[in-house]
Amino acid sequence: MRPIDRPLRTWAAALTTAVVTFAAVAAAGPAAAGGPHDDLGAEIAAIMAKPVYQHAQWGLLEVDDSTGRVVHSRYPDQFFIPGSTAKLISVSGTWHTLGGDHRFTTPVQALGQRSGAALDGSLALVAQGDLTMGGRTAPDGSVSYTPIDHTYANDVPGATLTPEDPLAGLNEIAGQVRSSGITRVNGDVVIDNRLFTSFPELDPSPDPIIVNDNVIDLLTTATAPGQPAQLSWRPQVAPYQVESTVRTVAAGGTTDIAVSASPDGTRITLSGTIAADAPPTLRISGVQDPAAFGRTALIEALARAGVTVTAPPVGPNPSGLLPASYDGTPRVAAYVSPVYAEYAKLILKVSHNLGANLGICLMAVAAGSSRCADGFPVLTGFLRQAGIDPTQAQLLDGRGGNPVDRVTPRIESELLHYWQGTPEATRFRSALPILGVDGLLAFVCEGCPSCPGKGKVWAKTGTVAGFDALNDRLAVGADTISGYLDAGHGRLHTFFLAVNGAYSADIDGVIDIGNDLARIAGLLQEQAEARQGR
């Protein structure tokens, strides 16, 4: 086995919603049904008895929405490492704070005086924390995603790109500037990213300006054996340059592509091999200075739209040009995002880590603070308002990747129930991956014609894994899944299922563990539907 010298990142994603009131769930209590040795049936017992779970601990809470009856319960009030099911909490808080129909408006202000078609001064793009800046917006206004997002390309096999132009929002802004009558800027372009300041525990760290998730996409396509592989990359923004020494090897050979970059991130190198019969293989490289990157990208977009900027396009972001206030300055462009519910769907369907962490910062901004850490009191307030005890969770980020992060099965069940009692219930549930259909649960049913629960489980998944040097294998700290089961006749069950302390030989084994949990969820759905039928 090839050693793995870095932690594996969370690979699963989604979210769900709930049905019964908090009071009904709380009244049921952990002793209302089941216990550590609750009978789950032979098929589920066989999965849990696999050698990889020899030293692991399972947690489970399944509740009938309409009655509050606890169907299955194993350690519902014990802390478990949540992985990305923690996104249920952070996204819920952000959604509640902003509203599902909230749109981000990113304006461009003219600083200086107009002289005909010329602006003697500068343009300031005032970043508002828009997660995609048009880079994933489909013609119908929805936000596009693929089952395995490009942000996971360096860690999980099979990541792919959405078809949209990652520079679409900046291109639209540039066109609006031109339509305002400006064809020349005798000055500079500056990105105002003062909206919030992140902190180290938010990894990946959000920035108020986000273009293409602040990464460069690098797609390698095989050619003939022995020949250099073909490279395409996006978005192509100066001064970023990419060089590839990847060579194509015979069909069935090893595909192993590594990415390195200069300290400022602008010189990117790909090396390694790709098999002749391998599909195009995606890698990414991070943008180190989002404001400088956004500035250059906007100046280039303005040039494409017929607007000349006299300042050099490449260079640091001239933040010293920013005014204390924009009062009295004319707005010459503004990009308006899709609704936040579409962003929540992206975050939950693909387990978008940057978007989940961004939500913490956006809650802080909504409370009048520029410190991302101030988003946590807002999240605490939301949970209390929803009738949920916040001490049932521990969080230091929005994505579920910090060593501090813990949840009880009960808090996620109660949160799902909360949403089911709101007007957003259906939209929230639809934002979750659907087993065998989309998001990170899309591939669960491949090769399984009679896949249990297909299309009838809406759930957020999560994985936390890293290299175990002592045993030369992967330690799977947590694999989790939490959401809704279709119990038939219009009834839903909420559920949380976790295993902490499993192991795997490699990344494929980690994915198999995730599939085990998804299969258990499917079997629980079948059991619930069968009981309802009786």
Side-chain angles (χ1 to χ4, degrees):
M1 183 184 74
R2 186 181 63 173
I4 296 176
D5 59 4
R6 64 172 189 267
L8 296 171
R9 296 199 183 271
T10 312
W11 67 274
L15 173 37
T16 81
T17 158
V19 138
V20 157
T21 64
F22 161 74
V25 177
H37 305 292
D38 190 11
D39 181 12
L40 300 172
E43 288 186 82
I44 294 177
I47 294 172
M48 291 181 168
K50 289 182 177 181
V52 295
Y53 307 122
Q54 178 183 3
H55 302 296
Q57 179 162 317
W58 292 85
L60 171 63
L61 183 60
E62 179 186 346
V63 180
D64 184 326
D65 300 332
S66 12
T67 64
R69 182 177 68 88
V70 175
V71 181
H72 294 295
S73 176
R74 294 190 178 196
Y75 307 108
D77 298 301
Q78 183 167 312
F79 272 148
F80 288 86
I81 300 171
S84 282
T85 65
K87 291 183 175 72
L88 288 170
I89 300 174
S90 61
V91 169
S92 292
T94 309
W95 191 322
H96 172 81
T97 301
L98 300 179
D101 291 322
H102 175 80
R103 297 178 187 269
F104 299 86
T105 299
T106 303
V108 174
Q109 305 294 131
L111 311 178
Q113 300 297 317
R114 289 279 295 271
S115 177
L119 171 66
D120 295 323
S122 299
L123 294 175
L125 182 150
V126 188
Q128 298 296 307
D130 185 331
L131 180 57
T132 69
M133 281 298 295
R136 295 179 187 248
T137 304
D140 63 358
S142 63
V143 172
S144 295
Y145 58 90
T146 61
I148 303 178
D149 193 63
H150 74 142
T151 55
Y152 286 103
N154 291 354
D155 299 299
V156 180
T160 54
L161 295 170
T162 59
E164 289 77 21
D165 181 357
L167 299 176
L170 294 180
N171 288 336
E172 182 174 326
I173 282 173
Q176 290 182 29
V177 171
R178 179 65 182 83
S179 295
S180 76
I182 296 175
T183 61
R184 183 178 179 84
V185 176
N186 294 317
D188 213 327
V189 169
V190 57
I191 303 297
D192 186 342
N193 63 347
R194 297 176 294 184
L195 183 70
F196 59 73
T197 303
S198 188
F199 59 96
E201 285 76 16
L202 292 184
D203 177 23
S205 181
D207 192 277
I209 181 70
I210 300 172
V211 177
N212 198 45
D213 298 309
N214 289 338
V215 301
I216 305 296
D217 296 315
L218 310 157
L219 189 65
T220 298
T221 302
T223 55
Q227 296 300 308
Q230 178 183 333
L231 171 69
S232 61
W233 60 281
R234 71 175 203 182
Q236 297 197 9
V237 174
Y240 284 76
Q241 297 180 13
V242 182
E243 178 184 355
S244 175
T245 61
V246 178
R247 299 191 69 79
T248 305
V249 297
T254 299
T255 296
D256 186 5
I257 300 173
V259 179
S260 61
S262 59
D264 66 357
T266 63
R267 300 293 184 270
I268 303 168
T269 302
L270 285 80
S271 59
T273 59
I274 183 171
D277 57 347
T281 300
L282 184 64
R283 295 289 184 266
I284 58 172
S285 186
V287 170
Q288 302 302 316
D289 188 341
F293 179 74
R295 171 188 174 270
T296 297
L298 179 53
I299 290 175
E300 292 178 344
L302 288 165
R304 291 191 294 271
V307 179
T308 300
V309 178
T310 58
V314 175
N317 185 50
S319 56
L321 297 175
L322 293 173
S325 168
Y326 290 100
D327 291 346
T329 64
R331 177 179 294 189
V332 294
Y335 179 76
V336 180
S337 77
V339 296
Y340 177 76
E342 281 295 311
Y343 284 169
K345 181 174 69 174
L346 167 66
I347 295 166
L348 297 171
K349 292 285 189 184
V350 308
S351 208
H352 196 281
N353 290 327
L354 180 63
N357 282 345
L358 175 64
I360 302 297
C361 302
L362 295 175
M363 284 187 279
V365 171
S369 173
S370 62
R371 297 175 63 252
C372 287
D374 290 336
F376 286 106
V378 180
L379 183 55
T380 301
F382 157 69
L383 291 170
R384 287 178 174 153
Q385 180 181 337
I388 298 171
D389 176 10
T391 66
Q392 295 182 98
Q394 298 175 169
L395 294 176
L396 192 52
D397 64 7
R399 74 180 185 96
N402 192 279
V404 164
D405 296 346
R406 297 291 188 276
V407 302
T408 66
R410 189 175 302 280
I411 192 173
E412 295 203 3
S413 176
E414 291 173 356
L415 187 60
L416 294 170
H417 281 292
Y418 161 80
W419 277 110
Q420 198 61 20
T422 73
E424 298 275 45
T426 300
R427 185 153 64 160
F428 183 78
R429 185 173 68 251
S430 299
L432 298 171
I434 304 172
L435 195 148
V437 176
D438 66 12
L440 281 170
L441 290 176
F443 303 122
V444 169
C445 292
E446 284 188 346
C448 181
S450 58
C451 181
K454 183 176 181 179
K456 297 182 178 181
V457 176
W458 301 262
K460 179 73 192 76
T461 61
T463 300
V464 175
F467 182 55
D468 169 14
L470 181 65
N471 298 291
D472 192 30
R473 65 189 186 187
L474 296 184
V476 184
D479 223 301
T480 53
I481 184 168
S482 181
Y484 300 95
L485 309 174
D486 182 351
H489 301 285
R491 295 173 66 169
L492 296 173
H493 287 191
T494 59
F495 78 100
F496 173 92
L497 174 67
V499 60
N500 281 187
Y503 70 86
S504 170
D506 52 31
I507 183 62
D508 290 333
V510 176
I511 293 173
D512 287 343
I513 291 172
N515 289 339
D516 278 350
L517 268 72
R519 180 169 178 79
I520 291 173
L523 292 168
L524 291 174
Q525 183 277 321
E526 286 191 341
Q527 292 176 12
E529 193 169 35
R531 282 190 297 268
Q532 182 67 22
R534 292 196 297 268

